[in-house]
Amino acid sequence: MNDAASRPTPVRRRVRVRAPELTGKGGWINTGGKDLKLADFRGRTLIVDFWTFCCINCLHVLDELRELEEKHRDTVVIVGVHSPKFAHEAEHQAVVDAVERYGVEHPVLDDPELATWKQYAVRAWPTLVVIDPEGYVVAQHAGEGHAHAIERLVAELETEHAAKGTLRRGDGPYVAPEPEPTVLRFPGKALALPNGNLLVSDTTRHQLVELEEDGETVVRRIGSGVRGFVDGGAEEAGFSEPQGLALLDEGAVVVADTVNHALRRVDLSTGAVSTLAGTGRQWWRGSPTSGPAREIDLSSPWDVALFGGRVWIAMAGVHQLWAYDPGTRTVEVTAGTTNEGLVDGPGSEAWFAQPSGLAATADRLWLADSETSALRWVDPDGSVHTAVGTGLFDFGHRDGAAGQALLQHPLGVTALPDGSVAVSDTYNHALRRYDPATGEVTTLATDLREPSDAVLVGDDIVVVESARHRLTRLRLPEEAVRVESVAHRTQRAATDVTPGTVRLDVIFQAPAGQKLDTLPQALDSVRAGGTPIGPSTRLLVSATPPELLLAGEGAGTDLSRDVELNPAVPEGVLHVSAMAASCDDDPAGGTSRSKTGGEYPACHVHQQDWGVPLRLTETGTNRLPLVLAGMDG
């Protein structure tokens, strides 16, 4: 016998760092009241998901992890560490609500002061950290699209630690909460129907509910109530966390089926559901952005509105507006670059940040741009303007002149008869009003629990109180409510950097068994018909304010770059967008069929956007590492 053949294959050595303890003042959720420590996970592979419930990318990762979580339930534990951006997200009950709202079926640590975030040197939502069964960090990934790499690493760790005797199988610490018997469960949006009834997206139960005009009496439910992507009659059709609703015509409603990345049509006479747009797959950079609606991938459509003869779509997942044309049955991008931020101008140059609410008038499409806490609008010519809001990191509750007024993560907007608009100011638990004639912002009502939409019914306005699981009818007030002004900035600490030259390093290590490959091949493998967009890596850098960067802005293919920071600008935000493509080194490890019929090794695209608050100081660092995938050596 060949001695070499008889020896076990050596395990590839990987960088390991002892994992810090998991701590958070909010305590644990989904554990039946038990407090957990790292030692409780010893013998299992632990995946720590740093997330916050306002973040659409974090919600995408929750969906990506579901299959892995089920497949490796006896050897892997996923733990969410909730790390808030907004003040409301630091409230414990809000985190408890979010865990139920988004169907999180693993333990979650509520870390309102970002203690664990800081211990793990996390810089972006979402970030995934893999800890081996002996308690060492072995990988870190920022952004979406890493489930395949993590699953491969999980399989390696199972084999390695089974051989070492350090793997422990069994049930995890997840304890499901008791279900609540409410008529609605975290409803998202509402629509007044031609017959006077109200249609509500019952988001967490994956259904639509038609209610009588009183907003309480159930007429019918549309959808099976089981998460799925199924066309058919009212009882068998499947939705997945539906949100926005709009009348397509007198007899049909279009639905933003958010987690299915699709637009659905509901026949109001029969309740039958069909698909108008989307494939059920999530759009990735390089995928087609226009064409036959049923052949184009979408990304978390959150709301819909009929404007200029087309159904406009708040495409929260890619920070854009799209439109569906009922006549040609096509979709296309109408505004936004996919970069996250607040930039006005022509639609092709505008930046959005998770647009989540739409309302149309004859000459304006109003939108709630949630992550910038902004109220914005689009002209008929496609130009984008901002009425209220300043950027990603400033928010609060302040009335007065629009230029200094503050909102906090609004999700809904409603056109009022006098030309003003009501804003469902979700994280302020308030209904706000903006009057274009005066440029003033006022508060109409408070003590609403996470209002996510509102609809006019006669002289009343019916508010979707999402976290109270109900519709609340209010008389439109003659006068505003006085509210003490509160202003916030994100709790994320700024990174101290030196003025002048700073080295920006985006860390990307191809997963085991994979290699860097061209983006055209990877995209063609991931999505047949993908548009070739360049080599294996890409880096885009900009800043707010733009004057922060003296040199180093723009696009390039190297993941490392020297940027020059302006000593005259004491603080700002560095915006970094990175992408890398990797494909299986061994074609036998998995293949995908291309649009031309040939087979490629299975390929994957990794991408993440960072907004890094910076403070310039002579004692700061001259290197800024951002981990896309791997470990910073």
Side-chain angles (χ1 to χ4, degrees), residues 21-22 28 31 34-46 77 79 107 133 135 168 171-173:
E21 187 56 81
L22 304 176
W28 288 87
T31 64
K34 181 179 179 181
D35 289 335
L36 301 175
K37 298 293 184 184
L38 268 180
D40 296 318
F41 306 108
R42 198 61 50 83
R44 315 287 288 277
T45 296
L46 176 63
V77 176
V79 165
R168 177 170 59 88
D171 294 334

Side-chain angles (χ1 to χ4, degrees), residues 205-208 221-240 264 271 273:
R205 292 194 177 131
H206 316 296
Q207 289 180 318
L208 308 182
R221 293 181 180 270
I222 300 173
S224 66
V226 177
R227 186 191 297 270
F229 188 23
V230 181
D231 287 344
E235 294 183 356
E236 66 260 26
F239 297 97
S240 187
R264 315 294 291 283
V273 178

Side-chain angles (χ1 to χ4, degrees), residues 253-447:
V253 168
V254 58
V255 182
D257 194 5
T258 305
V259 178
N260 278 328
H261 311 295
L263 298 188
R264 315 294 291 283
R265 179 188 185 275
V266 176
D267 185 305
L268 288 176
S269 62
T270 66
V273 178
S274 56
T275 299
L276 292 177
T279 63
R281 298 186 302 259
Q282 183 184 342
W283 184 94
W284 286 95
R285 193 182 299 271
S287 300
T289 55
S290 64
R294 291 291 303 273
E295 300 175 14
I296 304 297
D297 300 337
L298 309 182
S299 183
S300 296
W302 207 274
D303 203 5
V304 284
L306 200 63
F307 180 62
R310 296 189 293 174
V311 176
W312 284 60
I313 310 164
M315 202 72 79
V318 284
H319 317 299
Q320 289 181 313
L321 301 179
W322 290 41
Y324 166 75
D325 188 326
T328 62
R329 298 183 182 180
T330 57
V331 291
E332 65 177 353
V333 176
T334 50
T337 64
T338 75
N339 293 320
E340 184 179 15
L342 194 153
V343 176
D344 289 340
S348 60
E349 301 174 9
W351 291 23
F352 300 98
Q354 230 169 285
S356 301
L358 298 175
T361 63
D363 59 353
R364 289 187 180 184
L365 178 70
W366 292 98
L367 68 108
D369 203 29
S370 62
E371 279 295 291
T372 53
S373 298
L375 172 66
R376 307 175 75 183
W377 83 86
V378 182
D379 281 339
D381 67 2
S383 297
V384 179
H385 310 264
T386 297
V388 182
T390 58
L392 285 165
F393 300 107
D394 295 298
F395 53 91
H397 192 147
R398 181 190 288 154
D399 288 331
Q404 56 85 52
L406 294 173
L407 309 170
Q408 187 180 177
H409 198 80
L411 290 178
V413 59
T414 307
L416 300 179
D418 63 358
S420 66
V421 291
V423 180
S424 296
D425 194 4
T426 309
Y427 289 2
N428 279 328
H429 311 301
L431 190 67
R432 311 286 293 283
R433 176 178 179 265
Y434 168 70
D435 186 350
T438 64
E440 293 287 312
V441 175
T442 54
T443 297
L444 297 177
T446 58
D447 192 30

Side-chain angles (χ1 to χ4, degrees), residues 144-188:
E144 304 175 46
H146 301 293
H148 68 283
I150 292 175
E151 181 164 15
R152 189 157 188 164
L153 177 56
V154 163
E156 285 186 5
L157 292 171
E158 283 184 5
T159 301
E160 176 183 340
H161 287 275
K164 290 174 65 176
T166 50
L167 183 70
R168 177 170 59 88
R169 297 180 181 271
D171 294 334
Y174 168 68
V175 178
E178 290 293 324
E180 296 286 341
T182 53
V183 172
L184 302 172
R185 203 68 190 164
F186 297 104

